[in-house]
Amino acid sequence: MSKRVLITGAAGFLGSHLCDRFIAEGYDVVGMDNLLTGDIKNIEHLFPLKEFSFYNHDVSKFVHVPGKLDYILHFASPASPIDYLQMPIQTLKVGSLGTHNLLGLAKNKKARVLIASTSEVYGDPLIHPQTEDYWGNVNPIGPRGVYDEAKRFQEAITMAYHTYHGLETRMVRIFNTYGPRMRVNDGRVLPAFFSQAIRGEGITVFGDGSQTRSFCYVDDLVEGIYRLLLSDYAQPVNIGNPDEITIGDFAQEVIEMVGNPAAKVVYKPLPKDDPKVRQPNIELAKKILNWEPKIDRAEGMRRTYEYFKTVVPVEAV
Ligand code: UDP
């Protein structure tokens, strides 16, 4: 009998890729999403499959799924700074109440849970690159606090269910990830730069562009998550690509790739509490999961550009 996995945030960028992967691996997949920031188009192709079912539900409210569950992957949450500025309470609730509901469900079903944590638990980091034993530098009452603190609470309650109830738990700390199905207008740097470059608008570099990020292609992330779920490691694990770049240089890469002469950099103020640097140390993932990213930025960006070429003009009209 096939294993059965519940994926929350199933219609989102990461959730939908996870649905695809688990279907491909022969699992029965139950997707759940309230479509607050997710898009049903991302999983439309799965609806004809008998291995796939879907609940339109907000996991911050009591969650019931009939039948057995072997695994639960909790990926529901607004995930871009603009989203959590606009939806601060929902962001807090899905990371806290939502996680609590899913841990309870997992306990009931004797399922293993993997929660999507984030490099944001490190805040504006004072050590670089970030290792899992770094406790972070987070402003709880700043604009990003609603996301960062919900995710920190999520790790705390997940660990409590592990130690107190003996629940099987896994935690992935996800660094900046990109690829097809990112929402065009979600405000994150890559969709913003691609859509601006394609439309010939100003490329909005925040601050002086010297802040850094390290971008991981979605397929590499999914592979890391898949391995972590099947591992026996209950502590948090960084999954990301350590290839670090400044946002200014990243803007140039996008401009060159798209080649639209109308697209020029315009500088905008740096958002409050924007981390100055971010780069994962992935030695732990290498050691315990035998995982490292395989798709470099040039290749990942080519694939992602192909996607944005198909969706940007449609949204522009
Ligand atoms: N950024 C930018 N222009 C944009 C959107 C974002 O310069 O139009 C910068 C942002 O200030 C940050 C980096 O790009 O330093 C990554 O931002 P994003 O929102 O993608 O995610 P974050 O890593 O901050 O959570």
Side-chain angles (χ1 to χ4, degrees), residues 214-302:
S214 308
F215 297 99
C216 183
Y217 189 68
V218 62
D219 290 1
D220 281 331
L221 183 91
V222 166
E223 178 64 30
I225 289 168
Y226 188 72
R227 290 186 189 204
L228 177 62
L229 178 72
L230 300 183
S231 78
D232 58 4
Y233 193 78
Q235 304 291 315
V237 180
N238 289 343
I239 299 283
N241 189 325
D243 188 7
E244 186 183 17
I245 183 170
T246 67
I247 294 303
D249 287 348
F250 187 60
Q252 291 309 325
E253 283 191 1
V254 173
I255 288 170
E256 273 166 39
M257 176 167 275
V258 175
N260 184 341
K264 300 220 164 42
V265 168
V266 293
Y267 291 93
K268 300 274 176 187
L270 192 66
K272 185 166 163 30
D273 296 342
D274 198 283
K276 284 179 270 311
V277 289
R278 191 184 280 155
Q279 182 188 31
N281 175 311
I282 57 166
E283 292 311 309
L284 182 63
K286 280 186 186 164
K287 193 167 114 210
I288 62 164
L289 307 176
N290 192 24
W291 173 88
E292 61 183 327
K294 298 268 186 285
I295 298 163
D296 65 13
R297 201 172 51 249
E299 173 60 20
M301 291 286 280
R302 267 194 295 277

Coordinates of all heavy atoms in Angstrom, one line a residue, residues 214-302:
S214 N 21.8 34.1 -1.1 CA 22.4 32.9 -1.8 C 21.2 32.1 -2.3 O 20.4 31.7 -1.5 CB 23.2 32.1 -0.7 OG 24.1 33.0 -0.1
F215 N 21.1 31.9 -3.6 CA 19.8 31.4 -4.2 C 20.0 29.9 -4.5 O 20.9 29.5 -5.2 CB 19.5 32.2 -5.4 CG 19.2 33.7 -5.1 CD1 20.2 34.7 -5.3 CD2 18.0 34.1 -4.6 CE1 19.9 36.0 -5.0 CE2 17.7 35.4 -4.3 CZ 18.7 36.4 -4.5
C216 N 19.0 29.2 -4.1 CA 19.0 27.7 -4.4 C 17.8 27.4 -5.4 O 16.7 27.9 -5.2 CB 18.7 27.0 -3.1 SG 18.7 25.2 -3.2
Y217 N 18.2 26.6 -6.4 CA 17.1 26.2 -7.3 C 16.2 25.2 -6.7 O 16.6 24.3 -5.9 CB 17.8 25.6 -8.6 CG 16.7 25.4 -9.7 CD1 16.1 26.5 -10.3 CD2 16.3 24.1 -10.0 CE1 15.2 26.3 -11.3 CE2 15.4 24.0 -11.0 CZ 14.8 25.1 -11.6 OH 13.8 24.9 -12.6
V218 N 14.9 25.4 -7.0 CA 13.9 24.6 -6.3 C 14.1 23.1 -6.3 O 13.8 22.4 -5.3 CB 12.5 25.0 -6.8 CG1 12.3 24.7 -8.3 CG2 11.4 24.4 -6.0
D219 N 14.5 22.5 -7.4 CA 14.7 21.1 -7.5 C 15.7 20.6 -6.5 O 15.6 19.5 -5.9 CB 15.1 20.6 -8.9 CG 14.0 20.8 -9.9 OD1 12.9 21.3 -9.6 OD2 14.3 20.5 -11.1
D220 N 16.8 21.4 -6.3 CA 17.8 21.0 -5.3 C 17.2 21.1 -3.9 O 17.4 20.2 -3.1 CB 19.0 22.0 -5.4 CG 19.9 21.7 -6.5 OD1 20.0 20.5 -6.9 OD2 20.6 22.6 -7.0
L221 N 16.4 22.1 -3.6 CA 15.8 22.2 -2.3 C 14.8 21.0 -2.1 O 14.9 20.4 -1.0 CB 14.9 23.5 -2.2 CG 14.3 23.6 -0.8 CD1 15.3 24.4 0.1 CD2 13.0 24.3 -0.9
V222 N 14.0 20.6 -3.1 CA 13.1 19.5 -2.9 C 13.8 18.2 -2.6 O 13.4 17.4 -1.8 CB 12.2 19.4 -4.2 CG1 11.4 18.1 -4.2 CG2 11.2 20.6 -4.2
E223 N 15.0 18.0 -3.3 CA 15.8 16.8 -3.1 C 16.3 16.8 -1.6 O 16.2 15.8 -1.0 CB 17.0 16.8 -4.1 CG 17.9 15.6 -3.9 CD 17.3 14.3 -4.2 OE1 16.3 14.2 -5.0 OE2 17.7 13.3 -3.6
G224 N 16.7 17.9 -1.1 CA 17.2 18.0 0.3 C 16.1 17.7 1.2 O 16.3 17.0 2.2
I225 N 14.9 18.3 1.0 CA 13.8 18.0 1.9 C 13.4 16.6 1.9 O 13.1 16.0 2.9 CB 12.6 18.9 1.5 CG1 12.9 20.4 1.8 CG2 11.3 18.5 2.1 CD1 12.0 21.4 1.2
Y226 N 13.4 16.0 0.7 CA 13.0 14.6 0.5 C 13.9 13.7 1.4 O 13.5 12.8 2.1 CB 13.0 14.2 -0.9 CG 12.4 12.8 -1.2 CD1 11.1 12.6 -1.1 CD2 13.3 11.8 -1.5 CE1 10.5 11.3 -1.3 CE2 12.7 10.5 -1.8 CZ 11.4 10.3 -1.7 OH 10.8 9.0 -1.9
R227 N 15.2 14.0 1.2 CA 16.2 13.2 2.0 C 16.1 13.4 3.5 O 16.2 12.5 4.3 CB 17.6 13.5 1.5 CG 17.9 13.1 0.2 CD 19.4 13.3 -0.2 NE 19.6 13.0 -1.6 CZ 20.7 12.7 -2.2 NH1 21.8 12.6 -1.4 NH2 20.8 12.4 -3.4
L228 N 15.8 14.7 3.9 CA 15.7 14.9 5.3 C 14.5 14.2 5.9 O 14.6 13.6 7.0 CB 15.5 16.5 5.5 CG 15.3 16.9 7.0 CD1 16.5 16.5 7.9 CD2 15.1 18.4 7.1
L229 N 13.4 14.2 5.2 CA 12.2 13.6 5.7 C 12.5 12.1 6.0 O 12.0 11.5 7.0 CB 11.0 13.7 4.7 CG 9.7 12.9 5.1 CD1 9.0 13.7 6.2 CD2 8.8 12.8 3.9
L230 N 13.2 11.4 5.1 CA 13.5 10.0 5.2 C 14.6 9.7 6.1 O 15.0 8.5 6.3 CB 13.7 9.4 3.8 CG 12.4 9.5 2.9 CD1 12.7 8.8 1.5 CD2 11.1 9.0 3.5
S231 N 15.3 10.8 6.6 CA 16.5 10.5 7.5 C 15.9 10.3 8.9 O 14.7 10.4 9.2 CB 17.4 11.8 7.5 OG 16.8 12.8 8.3
D232 N 16.9 10.1 9.9 CA 16.4 10.0 11.3 C 16.9 11.2 12.1 O 17.1 11.0 13.3 CB 17.0 8.6 11.8 CG 18.5 8.6 11.8 OD1 19.1 9.6 11.4 OD2 19.0 7.5 12.1
Y233 N 17.1 12.3 11.5 CA 17.7 13.5 12.1 C 16.6 14.5 12.5 O 15.9 15.1 11.7 CB 18.7 14.1 11.2 CG 19.6 15.1 11.9 CD1 20.7 14.7 12.7 CD2 19.4 16.5 11.8 CE1 21.5 15.6 13.3 CE2 20.2 17.4 12.4 CZ 21.3 16.9 13.2 OH 22.1 17.8 13.8
A234 N 16.5 14.7 13.9 CA 15.4 15.6 14.3 C 15.8 17.0 14.6 O 14.9 17.9 14.9 CB 14.8 15.0 15.6
Q235 N 17.0 17.4 14.5 CA 17.5 18.7 14.7 C 17.3 19.5 13.4 O 17.3 18.9 12.3 CB 18.9 18.8 15.2 CG 19.3 17.9 16.4 CD 18.6 18.5 17.6 OE1 18.7 19.7 17.9 NE2 18.0 17.7 18.4
P236 N 17.3 20.9 13.5 CA 17.2 21.7 12.2 C 18.4 21.5 11.3 O 19.5 21.3 11.7 CB 17.1 23.1 12.7 CG 16.9 23.0 14.2 CD 17.4 21.7 14.7
V237 N 18.1 21.5 10.0 CA 19.1 21.3 9.0 C 19.0 22.5 7.9 O 17.9 22.7 7.4 CB 19.0 20.0 8.2 CG1 20.1 19.9 7.2 CG2 19.1 18.8 9.2
N238 N 20.0 23.2 7.7 CA 20.0 24.2 6.6 C 20.0 23.5 5.3 O 20.8 22.6 5.0 CB 21.4 25.0 6.6 CG 21.5 25.9 7.8 OD1 20.5 26.3 8.4 ND2 22.7 26.4 8.0
I239 N 19.1 23.9 4.4 CA 19.1 23.5 3.0 C 19.1 24.8 2.1 O 18.2 25.6 2.2 CB 17.9 22.6 2.6 CG1 17.9 21.3 3.4 CG2 18.0 22.3 1.1 CD1 18.9 20.3 3.0
G240 N 20.1 25.0 1.4 CA 20.3 26.1 0.5 C 21.5 26.0 -0.3 O 22.3 25.1 -0.2
N241 N 21.7 27.0 -1.2 CA 22.9 27.0 -2.1 C 23.8 28.0 -1.5 O 23.4 29.2 -1.5 CB 22.5 27.2 -3.5 CG 23.6 27.1 -4.5 OD1 24.8 27.3 -4.1 ND2 23.3 26.6 -5.6
P242 N 25.0 27.7 -1.2 CA 26.0 28.7 -0.6 C 26.5 29.7 -1.6 O 27.2 30.6 -1.2 CB 27.1 27.8 0.0 CG 26.7 26.4 -0.1 CD 25.6 26.3 -1.2
D243 N 26.1 29.6 -2.8 CA 26.7 30.5 -3.8 C 26.1 31.9 -3.6 O 25.0 32.2 -4.0 CB 26.3 30.0 -5.2 CG 27.0 30.8 -6.3 OD1 27.8 31.7 -6.0 OD2 26.7 30.6 -7.5
E244 N 26.9 32.8 -2.9 CA 26.4 34.1 -2.5 C 26.6 35.2 -3.5 O 27.6 35.2 -4.2 CB 27.2 34.4 -1.2 CG 26.7 35.7 -0.4 CD 27.6 36.0 0.8 OE1 28.7 35.4 0.9 OE2 27.2 36.8 1.6
I245 N 25.7 36.1 -3.6 CA 25.8 37.2 -4.6 C 25.2 38.5 -4.0 O 24.2 38.4 -3.2 CB 25.2 36.8 -5.9 CG1 25.4 37.9 -7.0 CG2 23.7 36.5 -5.8 CD1 24.9 37.5 -8.4
T246 N 25.7 39.6 -4.3 CA 25.1 40.9 -3.9 C 23.8 41.1 -4.8 O 23.8 40.7 -5.9 CB 26.0 42.1 -4.1 OG1 26.2 42.4 -5.4 CG2 27.4 41.9 -3.3
I247 N 22.9 41.8 -4.2 CA 21.7 42.1 -4.9 C 22.0 43.0 -6.2 O 21.3 42.8 -7.2 CB 20.6 42.7 -4.0 CG1 20.2 41.7 -2.9 CG2 19.4 43.2 -4.8 CD1 19.6 40.4 -3.4
G248 N 22.9 43.9 -6.0 CA 23.3 44.7 -7.2 C 23.8 43.8 -8.3 O 23.4 44.0 -9.5
D249 N 24.7 42.9 -8.0 CA 25.2 42.0 -9.1 C 24.1 41.1 -9.6 O 24.1 40.8 -10.8 CB 26.4 41.1 -8.5 CG 27.6 41.9 -8.3 OD1 27.7 43.1 -8.8 OD2 28.6 41.4 -7.7
F250 N 23.2 40.7 -8.8 CA 22.1 39.9 -9.2 C 21.2 40.6 -10.2 O 20.8 40.1 -11.2 CB 21.3 39.4 -8.0 CG 20.2 38.4 -8.3 CD1 20.5 37.2 -8.8 CD2 18.9 38.7 -8.0 CE1 19.6 36.3 -9.1 CE2 17.9 37.8 -8.3 CZ 18.2 36.6 -8.9
A251 N 21.0 41.9 -9.9 CA 20.2 42.7 -10.9 C 20.9 42.7 -12.3 O 20.2 42.6 -13.3 CB 20.1 44.2 -10.3
Q252 N 22.2 42.9 -12.3 CA 23.0 42.9 -13.5 C 22.8 41.6 -14.3 O 22.6 41.5 -15.5 CB 24.5 43.2 -13.3 CG 24.8 44.6 -12.9 CD 24.1 45.7 -13.7 OE1 24.0 45.5 -15.0 NE2 23.7 46.8 -13.1
E253 N 22.8 40.5 -13.5 CA 22.7 39.1 -14.2 C 21.3 39.0 -14.9 O 21.2 38.5 -16.0 CB 22.8 38.0 -13.1 CG 24.2 37.7 -12.7 CD 24.3 36.4 -11.9 OE1 23.3 35.7 -11.7 OE2 25.5 36.1 -11.5
V254 N 20.3 39.5 -14.2 CA 18.9 39.4 -14.8 C 18.8 40.3 -16.0 O 18.3 40.0 -17.0 CB 17.9 39.8 -13.7 CG1 16.5 39.9 -14.3 CG2 17.9 38.8 -12.6
I255 N 19.4 41.6 -15.9 CA 19.4 42.5 -17.0 C 20.0 41.9 -18.2 O 19.5 42.0 -19.3 CB 20.0 43.8 -16.6 CG1 19.1 44.6 -15.6 CG2 20.3 44.7 -17.8 CD1 19.8 45.8 -14.9
E256 N 21.2 41.3 -18.0 CA 21.9 40.7 -19.1 C 21.2 39.5 -19.7 O 21.1 39.3 -20.9 CB 23.3 40.2 -18.7 CG 24.4 41.3 -18.7 CD 25.6 40.9 -18.0 OE1 26.0 39.7 -18.0 OE2 26.2 41.8 -17.3
M257 N 20.6 38.7 -18.9 CA 19.8 37.5 -19.4 C 18.6 37.9 -20.2 O 18.4 37.4 -21.3 CB 19.4 36.7 -18.2 CG 18.6 35.5 -18.6 SD 18.4 34.3 -17.2 CE 19.9 33.4 -17.4
V258 N 17.9 38.9 -19.7 CA 16.7 39.3 -20.4 C 17.0 40.2 -21.6 O 16.3 40.2 -22.7 CB 15.7 40.0 -19.4 CG1 14.4 40.5 -20.1 CG2 15.3 39.0 -18.3
G259 N 18.0 41.0 -21.5 CA 18.5 41.8 -22.7 C 17.5 42.9 -23.2 O 17.4 43.2 -24.3
N260 N 16.7 43.4 -22.3 CA 15.7 44.5 -22.7 C 16.4 45.8 -22.4 O 16.6 46.2 -21.2 CB 14.4 44.3 -21.8 CG 13.4 45.3 -22.2 OD1 13.7 46.3 -22.9 ND2 12.1 45.0 -21.9
P261 N 16.7 46.6 -23.4 CA 17.4 47.8 -23.2 C 16.7 48.9 -22.4 O 17.3 49.8 -21.8 CB 17.6 48.4 -24.6 CG 16.8 47.6 -25.6 CD 16.4 46.3 -24.8
A262 N 15.4 48.7 -22.3 CA 14.6 49.7 -21.4 C 14.8 49.4 -19.9 O 14.4 50.3 -19.1 CB 13.1 49.6 -21.8
A263 N 15.3 48.2 -19.6 CA 15.3 47.9 -18.2 C 16.6 48.4 -17.5 O 17.7 48.0 -17.9 CB 15.3 46.4 -18.0
K264 N 16.5 49.4 -16.6 CA 17.7 50.0 -16.0 C 17.5 50.0 -14.5 O 16.3 50.1 -14.0 CB 17.9 51.4 -16.4 CG 18.1 51.5 -17.9 CD 19.2 52.6 -18.3 CE 19.7 52.5 -19.7 NZ 18.7 52.2 -20.7
V265 N 18.6 49.9 -13.7 CA 18.4 49.9 -12.3 C 17.9 51.2 -11.7 O 18.4 52.3 -12.2 CB 19.8 49.6 -11.6 CG1 19.8 49.8 -10.1 CG2 20.2 48.1 -11.9
V266 N 16.9 51.1 -10.8 CA 16.6 52.3 -10.0 C 16.7 51.9 -8.5 O 16.3 50.8 -8.2 CB 15.1 52.8 -10.3 CG1 15.0 53.3 -11.7 CG2 14.1 51.6 -10.1
Y267 N 17.2 52.8 -7.8 CA 17.5 52.5 -6.4 C 16.3 52.9 -5.5 O 15.8 54.0 -5.7 CB 18.8 53.2 -5.9 CG 20.0 52.5 -6.5 CD1 20.5 53.0 -7.7 CD2 20.6 51.4 -6.0 CE1 21.6 52.4 -8.3 CE2 21.7 50.8 -6.6 CZ 22.2 51.3 -7.8 OH 23.2 50.7 -8.4
K268 N 15.9 52.1 -4.6 CA 14.8 52.4 -3.7 C 15.3 52.2 -2.2 O 16.3 51.4 -2.0 CB 13.6 51.4 -3.9 CG 13.0 51.5 -5.3 CD 12.0 52.5 -5.4 CE 11.5 52.6 -6.8 NZ 10.6 53.7 -7.0
P269 N 14.6 52.7 -1.2 CA 15.1 52.6 0.1 C 15.1 51.1 0.6 O 14.3 50.3 0.2 CB 14.1 53.4 1.0 CG 13.3 54.2 0.0 CD 13.4 53.6 -1.3
L270 N 16.1 50.8 1.4 CA 16.2 49.5 1.9 C 15.1 49.3 3.0 O 15.0 50.1 3.9 CB 17.6 49.3 2.6 CG 18.0 47.9 3.0 CD1 18.2 47.0 1.8 CD2 19.3 48.0 3.9
P271 N 14.3 48.2 2.9 CA 13.3 47.9 3.9 C 13.9 47.7 5.3 O 15.0 47.3 5.4 CB 12.6 46.6 3.4 CG 13.0 46.5 1.9 CD 14.3 47.2 1.8
K272 N 13.1 48.1 6.3 CA 13.5 48.0 7.6 C 13.9 46.5 8.0 O 13.2 45.6 7.6 CB 12.4 48.4 8.6 CG 12.8 48.5 10.1 CD 11.8 49.3 10.9 CE 11.8 49.0 12.4 NZ 13.1 48.7 12.9
D273 N 15.0 46.4 8.7 CA 15.5 45.1 9.2 C 15.9 44.1 8.0 O 15.9 42.9 8.3 CB 14.5 44.4 10.1 CG 14.2 45.1 11.4 OD1 15.0 46.0 11.7 OD2 13.2 44.9 12.0
D274 N 16.1 44.6 6.9 CA 16.5 43.7 5.7 C 17.9 43.2 6.1 O 18.9 43.9 6.3 CB 16.6 44.6 4.5 CG 16.6 43.8 3.2 OD1 17.7 43.2 2.8 OD2 15.6 43.8 2.5
P275 N 18.0 41.8 6.1 CA 19.3 41.3 6.5 C 20.4 41.7 5.5 O 20.2 41.7 4.3 CB 19.1 39.7 6.4 CG 17.6 39.6 6.6 CD 17.0 40.8 6.0
K276 N 21.6 42.0 6.1 CA 22.7 42.5 5.2 C 23.4 41.4 4.5 O 23.9 41.6 3.4 CB 23.7 43.3 6.1 CG 23.2 44.7 6.4 CD 24.2 45.4 7.3 CE 24.0 45.2 8.8 NZ 22.6 45.4 9.3
V277 N 23.4 40.2 5.1 CA 24.1 39.1 4.4 C 23.2 37.8 4.7 O 22.5 37.8 5.7 CB 25.5 38.8 5.0 CG1 26.5 39.9 4.5 CG2 25.5 38.7 6.5
R278 N 23.4 36.8 3.8 CA 22.8 35.6 4.1 C 23.4 34.5 3.2 O 23.5 34.6 2.0 CB 21.3 35.6 3.8 CG 20.5 34.4 4.3 CD 19.1 34.4 4.0 NE 18.3 35.3 4.8 CZ 17.1 35.8 4.4 NH1 16.7 35.6 3.2 NH2 16.4 36.5 5.2
Q279 N 23.9 33.5 3.9 CA 24.6 32.4 3.2 C 24.5 31.1 4.1 O 25.0 31.2 5.2 CB 26.0 32.7 2.9 CG 26.7 31.6 2.1 CD 28.2 31.9 1.9 OE1 28.8 32.6 2.8 NE2 28.8 31.5 0.8
P280 N 24.0 30.0 3.6 CA 24.0 28.8 4.4 C 25.3 28.1 4.5 O 26.0 28.0 3.5 CB 23.0 27.9 3.7 CG 23.1 28.3 2.2 CD 23.4 29.8 2.2
N281 N 25.6 27.7 5.7 CA 26.7 26.7 5.8 C 25.9 25.3 5.7 O 25.0 25.0 6.5 CB 27.4 26.8 7.2 CG 28.4 25.7 7.4 OD1 28.1 24.5 7.3 ND2 29.5 26.1 7.9
I282 N 26.3 24.5 4.7 CA 25.6 23.3 4.5 C 26.4 22.0 4.8 O 26.1 20.9 4.3 CB 25.0 23.2 3.0 CG1 26.2 23.3 2.0 CG2 24.0 24.3 2.8 CD1 25.8 22.9 0.6
E283 N 27.4 22.2 5.6 CA 28.2 21.0 6.0 C 27.4 19.9 6.6 O 27.6 18.7 6.4 CB 29.3 21.4 6.9 CG 30.4 22.3 6.3 CD 30.9 21.7 4.9 OE1 31.3 20.5 4.9 OE2 30.9 22.4 3.9
L284 N 26.4 20.3 7.5 CA 25.6 19.3 8.2 C 24.7 18.5 7.1 O 24.7 17.2 7.2 CB 24.6 20.0 9.1 CG 23.7 19.1 10.0 CD1 24.6 18.2 10.9 CD2 22.8 19.9 10.8
A285 N 24.1 19.2 6.2 CA 23.3 18.5 5.2 C 24.2 17.5 4.3 O 23.8 16.4 4.0 CB 22.6 19.5 4.3
K286 N 25.4 18.0 4.0 CA 26.3 17.2 3.3 C 26.6 15.9 4.0 O 26.6 14.8 3.5 CB 27.6 17.9 3.0 CG 27.6 18.9 1.9 CD 29.0 19.4 1.7 CE 29.0 20.6 0.7 NZ 30.3 21.3 0.7
K287 N 26.8 16.0 5.3 CA 27.3 14.9 6.1 C 26.1 13.9 6.4 O 26.2 12.7 6.1 CB 27.8 15.4 7.5 CG 28.5 14.4 8.3 CD 29.3 15.0 9.4 CE 28.6 14.4 10.7 NZ 28.7 15.3 11.9
I288 N 25.0 14.4 6.8 CA 23.9 13.5 7.2 C 23.0 13.1 6.1 O 22.4 12.0 6.2 CB 23.1 14.0 8.4 CG1 22.4 15.3 8.1 CG2 23.9 14.2 9.7 CD1 21.3 15.6 9.0
L289 N 22.9 13.9 5.1 CA 22.0 13.6 4.0 C 22.7 13.3 2.7 O 22.1 12.9 1.7 CB 21.0 14.8 3.7 CG 20.2 15.4 4.9 CD1 19.4 16.6 4.5 CD2 19.3 14.3 5.5
N290 N 24.0 13.4 2.7 CA 24.8 13.3 1.5 C 24.2 14.2 0.4 O 24.1 13.7 -0.8 CB 24.9 11.8 1.1 CG 25.9 11.6 0.0 OD1 26.8 12.3 -0.1 ND2 25.7 10.5 -0.8
W291 N 23.8 15.4 0.7 CA 23.1 16.3 -0.2 C 24.0 17.5 -0.4 O 24.6 18.1 0.5 CB 21.8 16.7 0.4 CG 21.1 17.8 -0.4 CD1 20.3 17.6 -1.5 CD2 21.3 19.2 -0.3 NE1 19.9 18.8 -2.0 CE2 20.5 19.8 -1.3 CE3 22.0 20.1 0.6 CZ2 20.4 21.2 -1.5 CZ3 21.9 21.4 0.4 CH2 21.1 22.0 -0.6
E292 N 24.0 18.0 -1.6 CA 24.5 19.3 -1.9 C 23.8 19.8 -3.2 O 23.4 18.9 -4.0 CB 26.0 19.4 -2.0 CG 26.6 18.6 -3.1 CD 28.1 18.7 -3.1 OE1 28.7 19.8 -2.8 OE2 28.8 17.7 -3.4
P293 N 23.7 21.1 -3.5 CA 23.0 21.6 -4.7 C 23.8 21.2 -5.9 O 25.0 21.1 -5.9 CB 22.9 23.1 -4.5 CG 23.8 23.4 -3.4 CD 24.1 22.2 -2.6
K294 N 23.0 20.9 -7.0 CA 23.6 20.4 -8.3 C 23.4 21.4 -9.4 O 24.1 21.4 -10.4 CB 22.9 19.1 -8.7 CG 23.1 17.9 -7.7 CD 24.3 17.1 -8.1 CE 24.5 15.9 -7.3 NZ 25.0 16.2 -5.9
I295 N 22.4 22.3 -9.2 CA 22.1 23.2 -10.3 C 22.6 24.6 -10.0 O 22.2 25.2 -9.0 CB 20.5 23.2 -10.5 CG1 20.1 21.8 -10.9 CG2 20.1 24.2 -11.6 CD1 18.6 21.6 -10.7
D296 N 23.6 25.1 -10.8 CA 24.1 26.4 -10.6 C 23.2 27.5 -11.0 O 22.2 27.3 -11.6 CB 25.5 26.5 -11.2 CG 25.5 26.5 -12.7 OD1 24.4 26.6 -13.3 OD2 26.6 26.4 -13.3
R297 N 23.5 28.7 -10.6 CA 22.6 29.8 -10.8 C 22.4 30.1 -12.3 O 21.2 30.4 -12.7 CB 23.1 31.1 -10.1 CG 22.0 32.1 -9.9 CD 22.4 33.3 -9.0 NE 23.6 33.9 -9.4 CZ 24.7 33.9 -8.8 NH1 24.8 33.2 -7.6 NH2 25.8 34.4 -9.3
A298 N 23.4 29.9 -13.1 CA 23.2 30.2 -14.5 C 22.1 29.3 -15.1 O 21.2 29.7 -15.8 CB 24.5 30.0 -15.3
E299 N 22.2 28.0 -14.8 CA 21.2 27.0 -15.3 C 19.9 27.3 -14.7 O 18.8 27.3 -15.3 CB 21.7 25.6 -15.0 CG 20.8 24.5 -15.3 CD 20.3 24.4 -16.8 OE1 21.0 25.0 -17.6 OE2 19.3 23.8 -17.1
G300 N 19.8 27.4 -13.3 CA 18.6 27.6 -12.6 C 17.9 28.9 -13.1 O 16.6 28.9 -13.3
M301 N 18.7 29.9 -13.4 CA 18.1 31.2 -13.9 C 17.5 31.0 -15.3 O 16.5 31.6 -15.6 CB 19.1 32.3 -13.9 CG 19.5 32.7 -12.5 SD 18.2 33.7 -11.7 CE 18.6 35.3 -12.4
R302 N 18.2 30.2 -16.1 CA 17.7 30.0 -17.5 C 16.3 29.3 -17.4 O 15.4 29.7 -18.1 CB 18.6 29.1 -18.3 CG 19.6 29.9 -19.1 CD 20.3 29.0 -20.1 NE 21.2 28.0 -19.5 CZ 22.4 28.2 -19.1 NH1 23.0 29.3 -19.2 NH2 23.1 27.2 -18.5

